[in-house]
PDB file of all heavy atoms in Angstrom:
ATOM      1  N   PRO A1218      -6.615  29.307 -25.258  1.00 93.00           N
ATOM      2  CA  PRO A1218      -6.995  28.237 -26.198  1.00 93.00           C
ATOM      3  C   PRO A1218      -5.823  27.634 -26.950  1.00 93.00           C
ATOM      4  O   PRO A1218      -5.805  26.421 -27.210  1.00 93.00           O
ATOM      5  CB  PRO A1218      -7.974  28.944 -27.137  1.00 93.00           C
ATOM      6  CG  PRO A1218      -8.604  30.004 -26.291  1.00 93.00           C
ATOM      7  CD  PRO A1218      -7.480  30.508 -25.418  1.00 93.00           C
ATOM      8  N   ALA A1219      -4.823  28.431 -27.279  1.00 94.00           N
ATOM      9  CA  ALA A1219      -3.660  27.901 -27.995  1.00 94.00           C
ATOM     10  C   ALA A1219      -2.832  26.974 -27.107  1.00 94.00           C
ATOM     11  O   ALA A1219      -2.154  26.072 -27.616  1.00 94.00           O
ATOM     12  CB  ALA A1219      -2.787  29.051 -28.494  1.00 94.00           C
ATOM     13  N   TRP A1220      -2.866  27.188 -25.801  1.00 95.00           N
ATOM     14  CA  TRP A1220      -2.104  26.352 -24.872  1.00 95.00           C
ATOM     15  C   TRP A1220      -2.858  25.080 -24.509  1.00 95.00           C
ATOM     16  O   TRP A1220      -2.232  24.064 -24.193  1.00 95.00           O
ATOM     17  CB  TRP A1220      -1.779  27.125 -23.600  1.00 95.00           C
ATOM     18  CG  TRP A1220      -0.910  28.317 -23.813  1.00 95.00           C
ATOM     19  CD1 TRP A1220       0.099  28.455 -24.726  1.00 95.00           C
ATOM     20  CD2 TRP A1220      -0.976  29.557 -23.103  1.00 95.00           C
ATOM     21  NE1 TRP A1220       0.677  29.699 -24.629  1.00 95.00           N
ATOM     22  CE2 TRP A1220       0.033  30.396 -23.638  1.00 95.00           C
ATOM     23  CE3 TRP A1220      -1.766  30.051 -22.070  1.00 95.00           C
ATOM     24  CZ2 TRP A1220       0.259  31.695 -23.170  1.00 95.00           C
ATOM     25  CZ3 TRP A1220      -1.546  31.339 -21.598  1.00 95.00           C
ATOM     26  CH2 TRP A1220      -0.543  32.150 -22.144  1.00 95.00           C
ATOM     27  N   LEU A1221      -4.178  25.125 -24.545  1.00 94.00           N
ATOM     28  CA  LEU A1221      -4.951  23.965 -24.107  1.00 94.00           C
ATOM     29  C   LEU A1221      -4.738  22.770 -25.015  1.00 94.00           C
ATOM     30  O   LEU A1221      -4.648  21.635 -24.550  1.00 94.00           O
ATOM     31  CB  LEU A1221      -6.437  24.312 -24.036  1.00 94.00           C
ATOM     32  CG  LEU A1221      -6.842  25.359 -23.000  1.00 94.00           C
ATOM     33  CD1 LEU A1221      -8.353  25.468 -22.939  1.00 94.00           C
ATOM     34  CD2 LEU A1221      -6.276  25.056 -21.625  1.00 94.00           C
ATOM     35  N   GLY A1222      -4.673  23.011 -26.333  1.00 86.00           N
ATOM     36  CA  GLY A1222      -4.461  21.910 -27.257  1.00 86.00           C
ATOM     37  C   GLY A1222      -5.499  20.829 -27.041  1.00 86.00           C
ATOM     38  O   GLY A1222      -6.700  21.092 -26.998  1.00 86.00           O
ATOM     39  N   ASP A1223      -5.028  19.584 -26.857  1.00 81.00           N
ATOM     40  CA  ASP A1223      -5.946  18.472 -26.636  1.00 81.00           C
ATOM     41  C   ASP A1223      -6.087  18.150 -25.152  1.00 81.00           C
ATOM     42  O   ASP A1223      -6.520  17.066 -24.780  1.00 81.00           O
ATOM     43  CB  ASP A1223      -5.483  17.233 -27.401  1.00 81.00           C
ATOM     44  CG  ASP A1223      -4.062  16.796 -27.022  1.00 81.00           C
ATOM     45  OD1 ASP A1223      -3.446  17.465 -26.159  1.00 81.00           O
ATOM     46  OD2 ASP A1223      -3.585  15.793 -27.580  1.00 81.00           O
ATOM     47  N   GLY A1224      -5.709  19.112 -24.301  1.00 78.00           N
ATOM     48  CA  GLY A1224      -5.865  18.891 -22.867  1.00 78.00           C
ATOM     49  C   GLY A1224      -7.331  18.668 -22.514  1.00 78.00           C
ATOM     50  O   GLY A1224      -8.182  19.507 -22.786  1.00 78.00           O
ATOM     51  N   ALA A1225      -7.632  17.513 -21.928  1.00 88.00           N
ATOM     52  CA  ALA A1225      -9.018  17.166 -21.618  1.00 88.00           C
ATOM     53  C   ALA A1225      -9.468  17.746 -20.287  1.00 88.00           C
ATOM     54  O   ALA A1225     -10.640  18.079 -20.106  1.00 88.00           O
ATOM     55  CB  ALA A1225      -9.184  15.651 -21.604  1.00 88.00           C
ATOM     56  N   ARG A1226      -8.527  17.872 -19.352  1.00 96.00           N
ATOM     57  CA  ARG A1226      -8.889  18.322 -18.010  1.00 96.00           C
ATOM     58  C   ARG A1226      -7.853  19.340 -17.515  1.00 96.00           C
ATOM     59  O   ARG A1226      -7.013  19.031 -16.664  1.00 96.00           O
ATOM     60  CB  ARG A1226      -9.005  17.137 -17.055  1.00 96.00           C
ATOM     61  CG  ARG A1226     -10.162  16.195 -17.430  1.00 96.00           C
ATOM     62  CD  ARG A1226     -10.224  14.980 -16.532  1.00 96.00           C
ATOM     63  NE  ARG A1226     -10.517  15.313 -15.155  1.00 96.00           N
ATOM     64  CZ  ARG A1226     -11.739  15.545 -14.668  1.00 96.00           C
ATOM     65  NH1 ARG A1226     -12.777  15.530 -15.487  1.00 96.00           N
ATOM     66  NH2 ARG A1226     -11.912  15.817 -13.398  1.00 96.00           N
ATOM     67  N   PRO A1227      -7.899  20.549 -18.056  1.00 97.00           N
ATOM     68  CA  PRO A1227      -6.921  21.573 -17.665  1.00 97.00           C
ATOM     69  C   PRO A1227      -7.232  22.163 -16.291  1.00 97.00           C
ATOM     70  O   PRO A1227      -8.376  22.163 -15.824  1.00 97.00           O
ATOM     71  CB  PRO A1227      -7.052  22.621 -18.770  1.00 97.00           C
ATOM     72  CG  PRO A1227      -8.438  22.457 -19.285  1.00 97.00           C
ATOM     73  CD  PRO A1227      -8.772  21.000 -19.145  1.00 97.00           C
ATOM     74  N   PHE A1228      -6.176  22.691 -15.682  1.00 98.00           N
ATOM     75  CA  PHE A1228      -6.222  23.231 -14.322  1.00 98.00           C
ATOM     76  C   PHE A1228      -5.511  24.575 -14.346  1.00 98.00           C
ATOM     77  O   PHE A1228      -4.419  24.701 -14.901  1.00 98.00           O
ATOM     78  CB  PHE A1228      -5.501  22.257 -13.388  1.00 98.00           C
ATOM     79  CG  PHE A1228      -5.438  22.664 -11.943  1.00 98.00           C
ATOM     80  CD1 PHE A1228      -6.467  22.353 -11.061  1.00 98.00           C
ATOM     81  CD2 PHE A1228      -4.314  23.320 -11.438  1.00 98.00           C
ATOM     82  CE1 PHE A1228      -6.387  22.699  -9.719  1.00 98.00           C
ATOM     83  CE2 PHE A1228      -4.228  23.659 -10.098  1.00 98.00           C
ATOM     84  CZ  PHE A1228      -5.267  23.355  -9.237  1.00 98.00           C
ATOM     85  N   LEU A1229      -6.130  25.588 -13.754  1.00 98.00           N
ATOM     86  CA  LEU A1229      -5.557  26.933 -13.717  1.00 98.00           C
ATOM     87  C   LEU A1229      -5.073  27.248 -12.320  1.00 98.00           C
ATOM     88  O   LEU A1229      -5.843  27.236 -11.363  1.00 98.00           O
ATOM     89  CB  LEU A1229      -6.610  27.959 -14.136  1.00 98.00           C
ATOM     90  CG  LEU A1229      -6.246  29.442 -13.998  1.00 98.00           C
ATOM     91  CD1 LEU A1229      -5.064  29.797 -14.909  1.00 98.00           C
ATOM     92  CD2 LEU A1229      -7.455  30.319 -14.305  1.00 98.00           C
ATOM     93  N   LYS A1230      -3.778  27.538 -12.197  1.00 98.00           N
ATOM     94  CA  LYS A1230      -3.207  27.977 -10.922  1.00 98.00           C
ATOM     95  C   LYS A1230      -2.860  29.458 -11.030  1.00 98.00           C
ATOM     96  O   LYS A1230      -2.173  29.873 -11.962  1.00 98.00           O
ATOM     97  CB  LYS A1230      -1.969  27.145 -10.581  1.00 98.00           C
ATOM     98  CG  LYS A1230      -1.101  27.729  -9.468  1.00 98.00           C
ATOM     99  CD  LYS A1230       0.051  28.517 -10.078  1.00 98.00           C
ATOM    100  CE  LYS A1230       1.048  29.040  -9.060  1.00 98.00           C
ATOM    101  NZ  LYS A1230       2.117  29.848  -9.724  1.00 98.00           N
ATOM    102  N   LEU A1231      -3.347  30.244 -10.091  1.00 98.00           N
ATOM    103  CA  LEU A1231      -3.074  31.682 -10.062  1.00 98.00           C
ATOM    104  C   LEU A1231      -2.280  32.034  -8.810  1.00 98.00           C
ATOM    105  O   LEU A1231      -2.702  31.729  -7.691  1.00 98.00           O
ATOM    106  CB  LEU A1231      -4.377  32.486 -10.049  1.00 98.00           C
ATOM    107  CG  LEU A1231      -5.313  32.334 -11.245  1.00 98.00           C
ATOM    108  CD1 LEU A1231      -6.549  33.208 -11.052  1.00 98.00           C
ATOM    109  CD2 LEU A1231      -4.604  32.703 -12.540  1.00 98.00           C
ATOM    110  N   ASP A1232      -1.136  32.677  -9.017  1.00 96.00           N
ATOM    111  CA  ASP A1232      -0.356  33.240  -7.915  1.00 96.00           C
ATOM    112  C   ASP A1232      -0.047  34.676  -8.310  1.00 96.00           C
ATOM    113  O   ASP A1232       1.031  34.987  -8.812  1.00 96.00           O
ATOM    114  CB  ASP A1232       0.926  32.435  -7.702  1.00 96.00           C
ATOM    115  CG  ASP A1232       1.691  32.891  -6.468  1.00 96.00           C
ATOM    116  OD1 ASP A1232       1.266  33.879  -5.820  1.00 96.00           O
ATOM    117  OD2 ASP A1232       2.728  32.273  -6.145  1.00 96.00           O
ATOM    118  N   VAL A1233      -1.031  35.564  -8.117  1.00 97.00           N
ATOM    119  CA  VAL A1233      -0.944  36.918  -8.657  1.00 97.00           C
ATOM    120  C   VAL A1233      -1.143  37.979  -7.573  1.00 97.00           C
ATOM    121  O   VAL A1233      -1.419  39.133  -7.881  1.00 97.00           O
ATOM    122  CB  VAL A1233      -1.954  37.109  -9.814  1.00 97.00           C
ATOM    123  CG1 VAL A1233      -1.551  36.253 -11.008  1.00 97.00           C
ATOM    124  CG2 VAL A1233      -3.379  36.779  -9.387  1.00 97.00           C
ATOM    125  N   GLN A1234      -1.006  37.582  -6.321  1.00 96.00           N
ATOM    126  CA  GLN A1234      -0.964  38.513  -5.195  1.00 96.00           C
ATOM    127  C   GLN A1234      -2.100  39.542  -5.237  1.00 96.00           C
ATOM    128  O   GLN A1234      -1.878  40.736  -5.403  1.00 96.00           O
ATOM    129  CB  GLN A1234       0.404  39.189  -5.142  1.00 96.00           C
ATOM    130  CG  GLN A1234       1.561  38.234  -4.937  1.00 96.00           C
ATOM    131  CD  GLN A1234       1.429  37.403  -3.666  1.00 96.00           C
ATOM    132  OE1 GLN A1234       1.040  37.905  -2.623  1.00 96.00           O
ATOM    133  NE2 GLN A1234       1.733  36.126  -3.748  1.00 96.00           N
ATOM    134  N   GLY A1235      -3.321  39.044  -5.071  1.00 96.00           N
ATOM    135  CA  GLY A1235      -4.467  39.928  -4.942  1.00 96.00           C
ATOM    136  C   GLY A1235      -5.174  40.278  -6.228  1.00 96.00           C
ATOM    137  O   GLY A1235      -6.274  40.848  -6.204  1.00 96.00           O
ATOM    138  N   TYR A1236      -4.592  39.915  -7.380  1.00 97.00           N
ATOM    139  CA  TYR A1236      -5.154  40.296  -8.673  1.00 97.00           C
ATOM    140  C   TYR A1236      -6.042  39.195  -9.264  1.00 97.00           C
ATOM    141  O   TYR A1236      -6.437  39.268 -10.423  1.00 97.00           O
ATOM    142  CB  TYR A1236      -4.013  40.620  -9.643  1.00 97.00           C
ATOM    143  CG  TYR A1236      -4.356  41.698 -10.660  1.00 97.00           C
ATOM    144  CD1 TYR A1236      -4.589  43.019 -10.266  1.00 97.00           C
ATOM    145  CD2 TYR A1236      -4.423  41.413 -12.014  1.00 97.00           C
ATOM    146  CE1 TYR A1236      -4.889  44.006 -11.193  1.00 97.00           C
ATOM    147  CE2 TYR A1236      -4.724  42.390 -12.953  1.00 97.00           C
ATOM    148  CZ  TYR A1236      -4.958  43.684 -12.523  1.00 97.00           C
ATOM    149  OH  TYR A1236      -5.254  44.657 -13.455  1.00 97.00           O
ATOM    150  N   GLU A1237      -6.363  38.194  -8.453  1.00 97.00           N
ATOM    151  CA  GLU A1237      -7.102  37.037  -8.962  1.00 97.00           C
ATOM    152  C   GLU A1237      -8.422  37.419  -9.625  1.00 97.00           C
ATOM    153  O   GLU A1237      -8.778  36.872 -10.680  1.00 97.00           O
ATOM    154  CB  GLU A1237      -7.367  36.040  -7.821  1.00 97.00           C
ATOM    155  CG  GLU A1237      -6.142  35.367  -7.267  1.00 97.00           C
ATOM    156  CD  GLU A1237      -5.394  36.222  -6.254  1.00 97.00           C
ATOM    157  OE1 GLU A1237      -5.906  37.317  -5.867  1.00 97.00           O
ATOM    158  OE2 GLU A1237      -4.290  35.815  -5.845  1.00 97.00           O
ATOM    159  N   ALA A1238      -9.172  38.330  -9.015  1.00 97.00           N
ATOM    160  CA  ALA A1238     -10.496  38.669  -9.551  1.00 97.00           C
ATOM    161  C   ALA A1238     -10.392  39.225 -10.960  1.00 97.00           C
ATOM    162  O   ALA A1238     -11.190  38.881 -11.848  1.00 97.00           O
ATOM    163  CB  ALA A1238     -11.199  39.671  -8.633  1.00 97.00           C
ATOM    164  N   ARG A1239      -9.393  40.077 -11.214  1.00 97.00           N
ATOM    165  CA  ARG A1239      -9.224  40.656 -12.546  1.00 97.00           C
ATOM    166  C   ARG A1239      -8.834  39.567 -13.555  1.00 97.00           C
ATOM    167  O   ARG A1239      -9.313  39.574 -14.696  1.00 97.00           O
ATOM    168  CB  ARG A1239      -8.149  41.738 -12.511  1.00 97.00           C
ATOM    169  CG  ARG A1239      -8.478  42.926 -11.621  1.00 97.00           C
ATOM    170  CD  ARG A1239      -9.397  43.915 -12.310  1.00 97.00           C
ATOM    171  NE  ARG A1239      -9.523  45.139 -11.545  1.00 97.00           N
ATOM    172  CZ  ARG A1239      -8.727  46.187 -11.651  1.00 97.00           C
ATOM    173  NH1 ARG A1239      -7.709  46.159 -12.500  1.00 97.00           N
ATOM    174  NH2 ARG A1239      -8.922  47.266 -10.911  1.00 97.00           N
ATOM    175  N   VAL A1240      -7.950  38.670 -13.148  1.00 98.00           N
ATOM    176  CA  VAL A1240      -7.536  37.595 -14.056  1.00 98.00           C
ATOM    177  C   VAL A1240      -8.729  36.710 -14.407  1.00 98.00           C
ATOM    178  O   VAL A1240      -8.948  36.351 -15.570  1.00 98.00           O
ATOM    179  CB  VAL A1240      -6.408  36.764 -13.432  1.00 98.00           C
ATOM    180  CG1 VAL A1240      -6.041  35.596 -14.344  1.00 98.00           C
ATOM    181  CG2 VAL A1240      -5.177  37.628 -13.162  1.00 98.00           C
ATOM    182  N   LEU A1241      -9.532  36.367 -13.407  1.00 98.00           N
ATOM    183  CA  LEU A1241     -10.683  35.503 -13.643  1.00 98.00           C
ATOM    184  C   LEU A1241     -11.749  36.206 -14.476  1.00 98.00           C
ATOM    185  O   LEU A1241     -12.436  35.572 -15.280  1.00 98.00           O
ATOM    186  CB  LEU A1241     -11.252  35.018 -12.319  1.00 98.00           C
ATOM    187  CG  LEU A1241     -10.349  34.030 -11.561  1.00 98.00           C
ATOM    188  CD1 LEU A1241     -10.861  33.806 -10.145  1.00 98.00           C
ATOM    189  CD2 LEU A1241     -10.235  32.712 -12.302  1.00 98.00           C
ATOM    190  N   ASP A1242     -11.884  37.521 -14.310  1.00 97.00           N
ATOM    191  CA  ASP A1242     -12.824  38.263 -15.154  1.00 97.00           C
ATOM    192  C   ASP A1242     -12.409  38.199 -16.621  1.00 97.00           C
ATOM    193  O   ASP A1242     -13.259  38.268 -17.516  1.00 97.00           O
ATOM    194  CB  ASP A1242     -12.911  39.730 -14.710  1.00 97.00           C
ATOM    195  CG  ASP A1242     -13.729  39.916 -13.455  1.00 97.00           C
ATOM    196  OD1 ASP A1242     -14.451  38.978 -13.058  1.00 97.00           O
ATOM    197  OD2 ASP A1242     -13.651  41.000 -12.844  1.00 97.00           O
ATOM    198  N   GLY A1243     -11.112  38.067 -16.869  1.00 98.00           N
ATOM    199  CA  GLY A1243     -10.615  37.945 -18.236  1.00 98.00           C
ATOM    200  C   GLY A1243     -10.553  36.509 -18.727  1.00 98.00           C
ATOM    201  O   GLY A1243      -9.973  36.228 -19.782  1.00 98.00           O
ATOM    202  N   ALA A1244     -11.145  35.595 -17.961  1.00 98.00           N
ATOM    203  CA  ALA A1244     -11.122  34.173 -18.316  1.00 98.00           C
ATOM    204  C   ALA A1244     -12.524  33.582 -18.337  1.00 98.00           C
ATOM    205  O   ALA A1244     -12.705  32.375 -18.149  1.00 98.00           O
ATOM    206  CB  ALA A1244     -10.244  33.409 -17.325  1.00 98.00           C
ATOM    207  N   ALA A1245     -13.531  34.419 -18.598  1.00 97.00           N
ATOM    208  CA  ALA A1245     -14.926  33.959 -18.528  1.00 97.00           C
ATOM    209  C   ALA A1245     -15.206  32.807 -19.491  1.00 97.00           C
ATOM    210  O   ALA A1245     -15.932  31.869 -19.159  1.00 97.00           O
ATOM    211  CB  ALA A1245     -15.871  35.131 -18.809  1.00 97.00           C
TER     212      ALA A1245
END
Side-chain angles (χ1 to χ4, degrees):
W1220 297 326
L1221 295 187
D1223 57 0
R1226 295 177 64 82
F1228 179 87
L1229 173 63
K1230 166 263 185 182
L1231 298 180
D1232 186 356
V1233 292
Q1234 299 302 318
Y1236 212 66
E1237 293 82 7
R1239 297 279 189 88
V1240 177
L1241 291 169
D1242 284 346

